[in-house]
């Protein structure tokens, strides 16, 4: 759905009208690499449940970040988008501490509302479609 000048979509406007302001959302990759037994020692269901306890979560098919298995995208709230924030892509999120840092940040408002915790800089990745060939 096309976004308006402020980055809001018509779906955002409908959701806000029905439920209040559109919150920060999280997209969790759970396809070929992320969420598979190939990434050992990770309880993927517990990770998704922990995030869902804090913010709306969408489980996605492959986000094409297989070289960084454990991809999570934190989408800004309506307020964050109005402030100019863009989605934040995180990779190699394969431990409970990182999941907790993401959950707390997203619950507090996420991109454009609350500064990203410094520790999450270690997980920041460039979205696959924005990579440039060398």
């Amino acid at each position: 759905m096309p976004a308006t000048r402020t980055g809001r979509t018509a779906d955002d406007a409908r959701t806000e009208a029905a439920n209040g302001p559109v919150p920060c959302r999280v997209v969790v990759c759970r396809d070929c690499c992320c969420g598979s037994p190939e990434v050992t020692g990770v309880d993927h269901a517990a990770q998704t449940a922990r995030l869902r306890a804090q913010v709306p979560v969408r489980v996605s098919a492959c986000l094409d970040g297989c070289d960084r298995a454990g991809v999570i995208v934190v989408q800004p709230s309506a307020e964050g988008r109005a402030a100019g924030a863009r989605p934040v892509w995180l990779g190699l999120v394969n431990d409970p501490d990182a999941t907790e840092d993401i959950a707390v940040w997203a619950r507090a408002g996420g991109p454009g509302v609350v500064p990203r915790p410094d520790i999450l800089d270690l997980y920041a990745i460039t979205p696959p479609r924005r990579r440039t060939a060398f």
Side-chain angles (χ1 to χ4, degrees):
M1 182 154 289
T4 64
R5 232 175 8 99
T6 62
R8 296 183 52 187
T9 67
D11 281 343
D12 289 341
R14 282 191 292 276
T15 299
E16 189 169 328
N19 304 318
V22 177
C24 179
R25 298 177 187 169
V26 174
V27 178
V28 180
C29 185
R30 288 290 181 257
D31 203 7
C32 53
C33 297
C34 306
S36 77
E38 290 178 29
V39 181
T40 59
V42 178
D43 185 341
H44 302 289
Q47 182 185 55
T48 303
R50 176 62 190 125
L51 292 166
R52 268 200 179 114
Q54 296 297 312
V55 293
V57 173
R58 184 179 64 158
V59 175
S60 174
C62 187
L63 293 172
D64 199 26
C66 298
D67 58 331
R68 306 285 174 140
V71 174
I72 293 177
V73 181
V74 182
Q75 298 177 319
S77 63
E79 180 183 356
R81 282 191 303 277
R86 306 288 303 155
V88 173
W89 284 64
L90 305 165
L92 298 173
V93 181
N94 296 315
D95 68 77
D97 290 337
T99 301
E100 185 63 22
D101 291 334
I102 294 166
V104 168
W105 176 50
R107 177 69 178 177
V113 176
V114 177
R116 180 173 65 206
D118 291 341
I119 192 70
L120 292 182
D121 291 345
L122 298 171
Y123 299 92
I125 63 173
T126 301
R129 66 186 174 281
R130 293 187 187 162
R131 290 186 186 159
T132 57
F134 292 98

